[in-house]
């Protein structure tokens, strides 16, 4: 892997500094660095080759990517709980996923172009050069599919897809998972629904379930 | 390099093709008995303790866990394979449907399945006697029950004793307590007199031996378990079998055909090694096919010789016929009462903690066989697809502050909607019994298509009959009523006659069986009641192929039991020097 490519791989995935050092070492030794090291999950050689190829390619140009960054932070901004979509690296996820799922490519690229054409017609500027006010006025016209005017339908279709990918990218990031309060993915002793939650919904375990289910010795 | 066939000089007692449930169990039982065994596996070695995707976070996948052609069930799924494999095509008769899921790796599809481990009941072996359709098995529940017991002891399965006549109880480990949505489902189902009982999964809620750890409740069985807390053939059967020193496993070995001598007896197999693309032969006294129902049928049909001109074990012309998969239909939605729910670790075991066995009398219905119901929902780990279609939710239900918004939107209010609605999803799927029909089959593609190894490929011909369509209609009606009774709002899956009520295409449930069915009559079946080919006494088939009928149960536990039973029979033949 070329240094440029491995740096790109690093930028595209949330990885620890330990892996970063590993990648640098690999460069010096000129041995093969594979996405296994960048992703940390078991990969078949066939998958390594494909992932590596996708990571080495670039789909969105700079202007498109800058537009995506503005839009995804409109969709998921920073609030008191967590950062924004770009803070969570969602733009990098979107760059990867369109290469992995080419069916999204035309919808996103065409949608970005559609957006710029709307702005050029109205303000003689591309979307990112418009004022925030102008940007939000346009977003308001495409963000509510049930209310969208027929001539803005293409924008709504584009925005639905971008909203979906932004939400997935954000809430599957480390920041997003923490925001959501997902409490699993670690060794656990499942002992049923917490008592206060059962009470909240007026439910309880019957005697038989309590007697026959896996028991945990709370004194251990 | 000259093209030559290399012969393996080892003389094996038994050569097994395939390392999934059937092949793994045969390898385990035969090596324990001291027989020298070789297993040929078409994919690579796999060990869930070393090939790890368990306990990884969604961001550790470049695609956040989305499926690929290579792993259609998601980037973290343990199974290598899918419905389409590069260079290994299959074809379909125009106007018919069948999707063939293959998993090429040690342990085969046991690396993927939901660990649902159901025994067939007495009625399941005698379908024809009950409704006149299909055929009875040449064996009954009493023949298989001792082997179900042994499988329970060896591998471990949790469940509850219920005493339901056609849902025989096993030697169960204790089940985990139901999750919140499962309690809500159970309560609602009670209003319809639909039983909801603890599921029966081969997951160790208690440690059963020193080789395997107990479940630690990460809900990720499909990723393979690093402590072997669930069943997969690689960790629970092949691995212990290698410790006997009686087992050789050759991976990346794609078997081309079964070899026979002039008397028609099997002498071994030939295979292409994927690593060097050279041709090899293995000699063995007994050949056991466990390559999966359709792959084993393909092998037999491709093993033509002077003594077996119609393909091996196919004088009946039955090989490939009576192919049948489970039916499947599903609907899903949200439980508004769970919006904004309290967070806690709800992972549990991999899959559902409760399920519904078939509960009705088909004599009072317009379709012949039953289905069981599987459930899901709750606060699972987010992955690719999280939050998709929010405009269908936040325009339909008020948000956390009671505001009824227009669907879609953006900004901090939208961001909070994702949090608010998370964990409220709920859904259910039926898995039912299809009638095995002679007219549903796989055959060698008559147009001469071959795969990248030059092996002739299968062509499928499968159409659902009205029995299955009516069953799917019943699932639809039942599920809609259940969702209503629990206060859920259906958001997807409602289907009418134009789409066969959501009935999935054949092959999609990955329970296909029947292609080398067993029977007492050599003219109407491929193997006898010990999985032994009528036409070739030292050839056995121990995957799902010998199933006469599928039942509304997942086939794995029965494949394991029958493979063990067939293996005991093989050992007996060696003792009596019949082979």
């Amino acid at each position: 892997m070329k240094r440029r490519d491995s740096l790109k791989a690093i930028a595209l995935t949330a990885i620890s500094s330990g892996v970063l050092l590993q990648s640098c070492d690999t460069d010096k030794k000129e041995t093969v660095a594979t996405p296994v090291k960048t992703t940390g999950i078991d990969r078949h050689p066939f998958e390594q080759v494909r992932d590596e190829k996708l990571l080495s390619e670039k789909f969105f140009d700079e202007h498109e990517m800058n537009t995506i960054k503005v839009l995804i932070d409109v969709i998921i901004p920073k609030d008191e709980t967590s950062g924004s979509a770009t803070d969570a690296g969602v733009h990098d996820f979107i760059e990867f996923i369109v290469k992995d799922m080419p069916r999204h490519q035309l919808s996103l690229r065409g949608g970005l172009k559609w957006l710029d054409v709307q702005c050029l017609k109205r303000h003689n500027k591309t979307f990112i050069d418009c004022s925030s006010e102008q940007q939000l006025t346009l977003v308001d016209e495409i963000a509510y599919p049930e209310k969208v005017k027929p001539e803005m339908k293409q924008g709504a279709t584009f925005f639905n897809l971008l909203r979906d990918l932004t939400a997935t990218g954000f809430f599957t990031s480390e920041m997003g998972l923490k925001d959501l309060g997902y409490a699993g993915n670690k060794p656990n002793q499942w002992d049923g629904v917490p008592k206060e939650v059962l009470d909240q919904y007026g439910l309880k375990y019957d005697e038989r379930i309590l007697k026959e289910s896996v028991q945990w010795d709370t004194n251990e | 390099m000259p093209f030559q066939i290399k012969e393996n000089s080892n003389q094996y007692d038994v050569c097994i093709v395939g390392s999934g449930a059937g092949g793994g169990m045969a390898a385990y039982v035969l090596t324990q008995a001291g027989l020298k065994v070789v297993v040929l596996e078409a994919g690579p070695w796999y060990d869930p303790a070393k090939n790890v995707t368990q306990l990884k976070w969604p961001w550790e996948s470049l695609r956040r866990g989305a499926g690929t052609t290579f792993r259609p069930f998601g980037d973290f799924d343990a199974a290598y394979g899918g419905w389409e494999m590069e260079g290994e095509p299959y074809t379909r008769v125009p106007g018919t449907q069948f999707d063939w899921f293959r998993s090429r790796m040690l342990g085969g599809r046991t690396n993927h399945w939901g660990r649902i481990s159901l025994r067939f009941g007495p009625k399941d072996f005698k379908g024809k006697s009950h409704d006149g359709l299909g055929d009875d098995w040449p064996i009954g529940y009493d023949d298989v029950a001792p082997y179900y017991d042994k499988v329970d002891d060896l591998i471990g399965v949790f469940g509850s004793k219920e005493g339901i006549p056609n849902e025989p109880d096993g030697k169960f480990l204790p089940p985990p307590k139901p999750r919140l949505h499962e309690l809500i489902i159970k309560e609602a189902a009670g209003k319809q007199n639909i039983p909801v009982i603890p599921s029966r999964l081969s997951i160790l809620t208690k440690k059963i031996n020193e080789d395997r750890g107990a479940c630690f409740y990460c809900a990720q069985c499909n990723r393979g378990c690093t402590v072997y807390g669930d069943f997969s053939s690689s960790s629970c059967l092949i691995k212990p079998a290698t410790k006997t020193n009686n087992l050789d496993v050759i991976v990346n070995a794609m078997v081309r055909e079964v070899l026979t001598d002039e008397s028609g007896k099997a002498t071994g197999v030939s295979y292409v090694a994927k690593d060097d693309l050279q041709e090899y032969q293995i000699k063995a006294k007994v050949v056991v096919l466990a390559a999966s129902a359709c792959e084993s049928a393909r092998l037999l049909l491709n093993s033509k010789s002077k003594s077996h001109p119609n393909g091996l074990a196919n004088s009946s012309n039955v090989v490939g016929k009576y192919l049948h998969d489970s039916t499947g239909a599903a609907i899903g939605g949200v439980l508004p009462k769970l919006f904004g729910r309290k967070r806690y670790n709800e992972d549990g075991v991999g899959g559902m903690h409760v399920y519904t066995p078939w509960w009705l009398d088909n004599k009072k219905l317009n379709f012949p066989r039953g289905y069981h119901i599987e459930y899901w929902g709750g606060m699972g780990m987010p992955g690719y697809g999280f939050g998709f279609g929010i405009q269908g939710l936040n325009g339909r239900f008020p948000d956390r502050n009671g505001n009824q918004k227009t669907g879609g939107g953006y900004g901090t209010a939208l961001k909070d909607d994702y949090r608010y609605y998370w964990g409220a999803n709920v859904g259910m799927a039926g898995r039912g019994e299809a009638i095995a029909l002679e007219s549903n089959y796989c055959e060698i593609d008559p147009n001469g298509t071959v795969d990248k190894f030059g092996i002739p490929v299968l062509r499928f011909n499968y159409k659902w009959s009205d029995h299955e369509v009516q069953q799917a209609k019943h699932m639809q009606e039942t599920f809609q009523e259940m969702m209503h009774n629990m206060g859920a709002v259906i958001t997807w899956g409602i289907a009418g006659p134009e789409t066969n009520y959501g009935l999935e295409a054949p092959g999609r449930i990955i329970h296909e069986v029947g292609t080398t069915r067993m029977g007492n009559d050599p003219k109407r079946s491929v193997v006898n009641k010990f999985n032994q080919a009528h036409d070739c006494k030292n050839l056995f088939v121990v995957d799902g192929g010998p199933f006469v009928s599928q039942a509304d149960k997942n086939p794995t536990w029965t494949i394991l039991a029958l493979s063990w039973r067939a293996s005991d029979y093989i050992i007996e033949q060696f003792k009596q020097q019949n082979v």
Side-chain angles (χ1 to χ4, degrees):
Chain A
M1 196 188 244
K2 292 176 196 157
R3 181 165 176 78
R4 181 166 38 90
D5 293 340
S6 61
L7 285 176
K8 195 181 291 169
I10 290 158
L12 283 170
T13 53
I15 50 165
S16 68
S17 57
V19 180
L20 179 70
L21 291 171
Q22 206 171 4
S23 295
C24 294
D25 284 345
T26 306
D27 265 357
K28 281 176 201 157
K29 287 176 201 156
E30 291 197 331
T31 50
V32 184
T34 69
V36 167
K37 291 193 176 116
T38 61
T39 62
I41 57 175
D42 183 55
R43 292 295 85 177
H44 192 274
F46 168 84
E47 294 173 293
Q48 292 177 27
V49 169
R50 181 166 178 272
D51 284 353
E52 200 169 328
K53 179 171 173 288
L54 294 180
L55 285 170
S56 71
E57 293 167 356
K58 191 171 166 177
F59 181 73
F60 292 114
D61 66 27
E62 202 182 335
H63 173 74
E64 289 170 327
M65 187 43 76
N66 286 337
T67 312
I68 286 171
K69 284 180 181 172
V70 171
L71 285 166
I72 63 176
D73 277 356
V74 167
I75 293 169
I76 295 195
K78 184 175 188 303
D79 67 1
E80 61 277 13
T81 310
S82 62
S84 71
T86 54
D87 292 338
V90 172
H91 49 292
D92 292 333
F93 163 71
I94 291 176
E95 165 69 22
F96 180 82
I97 208 72
V98 298
K99 293 180 294 197
D100 193 43
M101 303 180 179
R103 63 178 181 277
H104 293 324
Q105 289 178 0
L106 185 61
S107 313
L108 285 187
R109 173 159 283 163
L112 290 166
K113 197 77 184 164
W114 180 94
L115 198 67
D116 271 347
V117 170
Q118 292 297 318
C119 294
L120 284 166
K121 281 185 194 165
R122 293 182 190 195
H123 311 295
N124 205 24
K125 285 178 196 162
T126 60
F127 180 80
I128 42 174
D129 289 332
C130 288
S131 69
S132 296
E133 237 182 327
Q134 290 167 334
Q135 287 174 349
L136 289 186
T137 302
L138 183 57
V139 167
D140 272 328
E141 292 176 47
I142 60 176
Y144 302 94
E146 282 167 57
K147 278 181 151 175
V148 76
K149 289 183 188 146
E151 65 271 25
M152 301 299 276
K153 181 85 181 137
Q154 291 78 8
T157 301
F158 160 73
F159 199 78
N160 279 346
L161 174 62
L162 191 63
R163 182 170 45 225
D164 283 351
L165 293 175
T166 304
T168 271
F170 183 80
F171 286 104
T172 58
S173 71
E174 193 167 5
M175 181 190 289
L177 225 63
K178 196 171 166 225
D179 176 318
L180 202 60
Y182 171 69
N185 196 35
K186 57 186 166 207
N188 183 34
Q189 291 184 338
W190 168 255
D191 198 23
V193 182
K195 174 77 169 62
E196 68 272 23
V197 176
L198 288 174
D199 292 346
Q200 182 189 347
Y201 294 98
L203 293 165
K204 59 176 187 176
Y205 290 116
D206 62 34
E207 287 303 313
R208 192 177 160 207
I209 288 176
L210 291 173
K211 187 166 161 276
E212 295 184 6
S213 299
V214 180
Q215 314 273 336
W216 303 102
D217 185 351
T218 48
N219 297 323
E220 267 178 21
Chain B
M1 188 181 285
F3 190 77
Q4 59 172 31
I5 292 169
K6 294 169 189 170
E7 232 177 84
N8 190 316
S9 56
N10 288 330
Q11 288 291 322
Y12 292 101
D13 292 319
V14 183
C15 170
I16 301 171
V17 182
S19 65
M25 181 56 89
Y28 180 85
V29 175
L30 296 172
T31 55
Q32 296 283 335
L35 294 173
K36 297 290 175 193
V37 177
V38 60
V39 167
L40 300 177
E41 166 52 52
W45 191 267
Y46 172 78
D47 181 347
K50 294 184 181 126
N51 304 93
V52 180
T53 59
Q54 190 183 32
L55 295 184
K56 300 295 180 185
W57 296 98
W59 59 85
E60 294 181 78
S61 154
L62 294 166
R63 50 191 65 78
R64 307 294 167 93
T68 61
T69 327
F70 190 71
R71 299 187 202 246
F73 283 86
D75 213 24
F76 295 106
D77 199 76
Y80 310 154
W83 282 287
E84 306 297 333
M85 298 177 77
E86 193 270 320
E88 299 191 53
Y90 53 92
T91 63
R92 303 174 186 89
V93 173
T96 73
Q97 286 182 301
F98 192 82
D99 295 331
W100 188 20
F101 189 101
R102 291 162 288 177
S103 189
R104 301 253 194 263
M105 65 192 300
L106 195 74
R109 295 184 291 188
T110 64
N111 294 303
H112 161 75
W113 67 306
R115 273 74 184 179
I116 300 172
S117 303
L118 304 173
R119 297 180 175 209
F120 281 26
K123 272 175 85 173
D124 297 325
F125 291 98
K126 304 292 172 192
K128 188 176 186 179
S129 297
H130 284 92
D131 59 24
L133 296 166
D135 274 294
D136 287 349
W137 291 57
I139 52 176
Y141 178 71
D142 291 342
D143 295 303
V144 190
Y147 288 95
Y148 282 135
D149 285 350
K150 286 155 79 130
V151 172
D152 290 356
D153 283 337
L154 177 69
I155 292 172
V157 53
F158 70 72
S160 59
K161 300 242 183 233
E162 301 288 337
I164 305 169
N166 202 45
E167 313 293 330
D169 296 327
K171 303 173 83 174
F172 293 132
L173 302 169
K177 286 175 190 156
R179 303 177 178 95
L180 181 58
H181 66 274
E182 292 169 331
L183 285 172
I184 293 170
I185 289 167
K186 188 174 157 79
E187 192 176 60
K191 294 178 191 162
Q192 288 165 256
N193 291 317
I194 295 175
V196 173
I197 64 171
S199 56
R200 296 172 171 186
L201 310 183
S202 46
I203 297 169
L204 301 185
T205 51
K206 296 270 178 200
K207 202 168 154 70
I208 60 167
N209 61 39
E210 288 312 306
D211 296 330
R212 299 171 59 199
C215 176
F216 54 78
Y217 303 92
C218 74
Q220 297 168 18
C221 291
N222 71 311
R223 298 187 184 194
C225 186
T226 49
V227 303
Y228 308 142
D230 58 3
F231 171 68
S232 79
S233 180
S234 59
S235 50
C236 302
L237 297 172
I238 297 289
K239 197 178 163 85
T242 57
K243 289 184 184 165
T244 62
N245 291 323
N246 290 325
L247 179 66
D248 287 339
V249 180
I250 304 178
V251 295
N252 293 321
M254 182 72 189
V255 177
R256 188 179 293 285
E257 62 181 305
V258 179
L259 305 169
T260 50
D261 63 16
E262 290 192 352
S263 74
K265 270 184 70 176
T267 57
V269 303
S270 72
Y271 69 91
V272 51
K274 287 178 172 175
D275 296 331
D276 62 11
L277 294 180
Q278 298 294 302
E279 299 292 318
Y280 294 83
Q281 288 188 353
I282 291 264
K283 298 286 180 198
K285 292 174 190 159
V286 167
V287 172
V288 175
L289 300 185
S292 83
C294 296
E295 200 70 72
S296 291
R298 178 186 178 201
L299 253 174
L300 291 173
L301 293 170
N302 276 330
S303 303
K304 289 185 180 173
S305 62
K306 271 184 194 161
S307 36
H308 302 285
N310 197 35
L312 182 55
N314 194 30
S315 65
S316 61
N317 217 21
V318 169
V319 173
K321 290 177 179 162
Y322 300 99
L323 169 64
H324 59 300
D325 186 22
S326 294
T327 60
I331 62 173
V334 291
L335 275 162
K337 66 181 126 183
L338 296 187
F339 290 160
R341 63 186 292 193
K342 184 182 161 62
R343 299 337 194 203
Y344 54 93
N345 183 348
E346 198 186 36
D347 284 348
V349 303
M352 61 200 181
H353 291 188
V354 298
Y355 89 115
T356 291
W358 180 235
W359 70 102
L360 294 171
D361 178 0
N362 288 91
K363 291 202 171 74
K364 295 171 185 163
L365 298 163
N366 66 342
F367 57 94
R369 306 277 167 92
Y371 59 86
H372 74 255
I373 311 175
E374 303 175 4
Y375 303 102
W376 65 85
M379 297 185 284
M381 184 158 45
Y384 181 84
F386 178 96
F388 276 26
I390 188 83
Q391 64 273 17
L393 276 182
N394 70 354
R396 202 164 172 177
F397 303 101
D399 69 12
R400 192 191 304 274
N401 303 314
N403 300 323
Q404 181 60 64
K405 302 196 291 268
T406 306
Y410 60 89
T412 50
L414 173 76
K415 191 177 179 183
D416 190 56
D417 288 343
Y418 290 112
R419 301 171 186 134
Y420 183 59
Y421 298 124
W422 180 60
N425 69 309
V426 66
M428 57 191 70
R431 295 285 180 262
E433 178 174 1
I435 300 294
L437 299 173
E438 190 179 5
S439 56
N440 287 333
Y441 58 86
C442 57
E443 62 185 339
I444 298 303
D445 179 53
N447 300 316
T449 312
V450 294
D451 68 11
K452 63 182 172 186
F453 309 109
I455 305 172
V457 308
L458 287 178
R459 181 171 82 163
F460 290 91
N461 182 332
Y462 197 129
K463 280 183 180 171
W464 291 124
S465 75
D466 196 51
H467 299 314
E468 289 81 40
V469 175
Q470 291 307 318
Q471 191 190 62
K473 180 168 185 276
H474 192 270
M475 291 180 191
Q476 275 283 335
E477 290 161 0
T478 305
F479 298 168
Q480 288 182 33
E481 193 182 342
M482 283 182 87
M483 292 289 272
H484 175 79
N485 283 340
M486 71 177 90
V489 177
I490 297 170
T491 54
W492 61 269
I494 290 182
E498 65 289 345
T499 54
N500 285 344
Y501 304 95
L503 180 60
E504 298 261 15
R508 280 277 145 183
I509 309 304
I510 324 181
H511 293 167
E512 74 282 358
V513 297
T515 47
T516 55
R517 67 177 195 165
M518 62 162 64
N520 292 325
D521 181 355
K523 292 194 179 66
R524 300 191 64 242
S525 58
V526 178
V527 298
N528 68 15
K529 62 183 179 180
F530 292 107
N531 300 52
Q532 179 182 34
H534 290 300
D535 298 350
C536 182
K537 297 298 177 197
N538 65 339
L539 175 74
F540 293 78
V541 187
V542 299
D543 49 34
F547 281 38
V548 178
S549 57
Q550 208 281 317
D552 54 63
K553 319 283 167 67
N554 306 50
T556 305
W557 225 239
T558 302
I559 291 174
L560 290 166
L562 291 178
S563 178
W564 195 328
R565 186 170 175 271
S567 299
D568 277 356
Y569 180 80
I570 291 169
I571 293 163
E572 192 56 35
Q573 300 312 299
F574 271 98
K575 281 184 189 160
Q576 294 180 7
Q577 299 189 316
N578 289 341
V579 287

